[in-house]
Amino acid sequence: RWTQNFLHSALVDVKPGKNTFTIAGQSVQVDLPAENQGIRAVFWSDPCFSSKWISCAYAEKFQTFPRSVAMLNAVYKDPSMDMFAILGDNFYDQTGELAKTIFDQLSPDVKRRFLLVVNGNHDNWVCGGPGCGDVSDNFGIGQMQYYTADPIASRSGNGDFLDFSIDPDQRKAWKTFQNK
């Protein structure tokens, strides 16, 4: 799964203040806050804009997709913003298409900020728990394709924070954690 995606990574030195990098031919400015200073951030949890995988009862009524995109793009025009955080249940997405849909609409001003992502229970099993897990769940493994987050591999402490060796389709233990 997710073979259409790719990651480029590098360790780079950054200093507090403005840092400019060239990524895929595009100049990107990353602002690192000074040590021991506060930060400005938007924290999101359980963002829902589609009923593709779960019931998103208020998506249409509150126009959660266009309003979320507009809000984030407006807020991150402010150069004092430092970080964007999604605290779990990241769009209730089994395939990555919902993450791609929203990130494709976010401006470079949003994307250049530091991103903090936490896996929620719906990021492992879209239904919310192992008792209803199925073949389409990504067990959080798919998250690293969009958020460079692999919490299980991160626990090793050896610096290999992404583990691409896990194939969620190799075993059919859909009702277990990490399909193990």
Side-chain angles (χ1 to χ4, degrees):
R1 287 194 238 178
W2 314 290
T3 57
Q4 76 279 11
N5 300 322
F6 55 91
L7 296 174
H8 293 281
S9 65
L11 292 175
V12 295
D13 291 323
V14 293
K15 298 178 185 110
K18 296 180 187 327
N19 297 270
T20 303
F21 302 96
T22 301
I23 301 172
Q26 182 176 353
S27 181
V28 177
Q29 179 181 307
V30 176
D31 300 323
L32 179 65
E35 187 173 355
N36 297 319
Q37 297 296 312
I39 64 166
R40 297 189 68 200
V42 169
F43 288 83
W44 251 8
S45 181
D46 302 70
C48 171
F49 64 84
S50 170
S51 291
K52 178 157 187 152
W53 303 108
I54 54 96
S55 175
C56 185
Y58 298 104
E60 295 301 318
K61 181 176 182 177
F62 295 119
Q63 300 175 22
T64 57
F65 180 79
R67 288 179 174 170
S68 295
V69 168
M71 184 260 317
L72 290 169
N73 285 338
V75 166
Y76 286 95
K77 283 182 183 177
D78 181 340
S80 71
M81 294 302 294
D82 299 304
M83 184 175 73
F84 175 39
I86 309 174
L87 303 179
D89 300 343
N90 305 315
F91 313 113
Y92 301 88
D93 191 1
Q94 284 184 317
T95 63
E97 67 189 282
L98 299 178
K100 181 177 181 352
T101 297
I102 196 160
F103 277 97
D104 281 353
Q105 298 301 310
L106 297 179
S107 72
D109 280 333
V110 180
K111 296 176 189 177
R112 73 180 187 87
R113 297 325 203 282
F114 291 97
L115 176 65
L116 168 71
V117 177
V118 176
N119 268 15
N121 59 313
H122 291 275
D123 298 317
N124 290 293
W125 311 275
V126 81
C127 66
C132 56
D134 71 27
V135 67
S136 297
D137 288 328
N138 72 50
F139 312 101
I141 298 166
Q143 300 294 340
M144 68 180 162
Q145 296 288 326
Y146 297 94
Y147 311 114
T148 61
D150 185 352
I152 298 302
S154 299
R155 291 176 38 191
S156 71
N158 65 6
D160 294 330
F161 76 101
L162 295 174
D163 183 355
F164 288 101
S165 69
I166 301 171
D167 180 351
D169 299 319
Q170 186 176 19
R171 288 193 60 227
K172 307 299 184 203
W174 309 119
K175 298 181 185 297
T176 62
F177 184 69
Q178 292 289 311
N179 192 23
K180 291 184 178 182

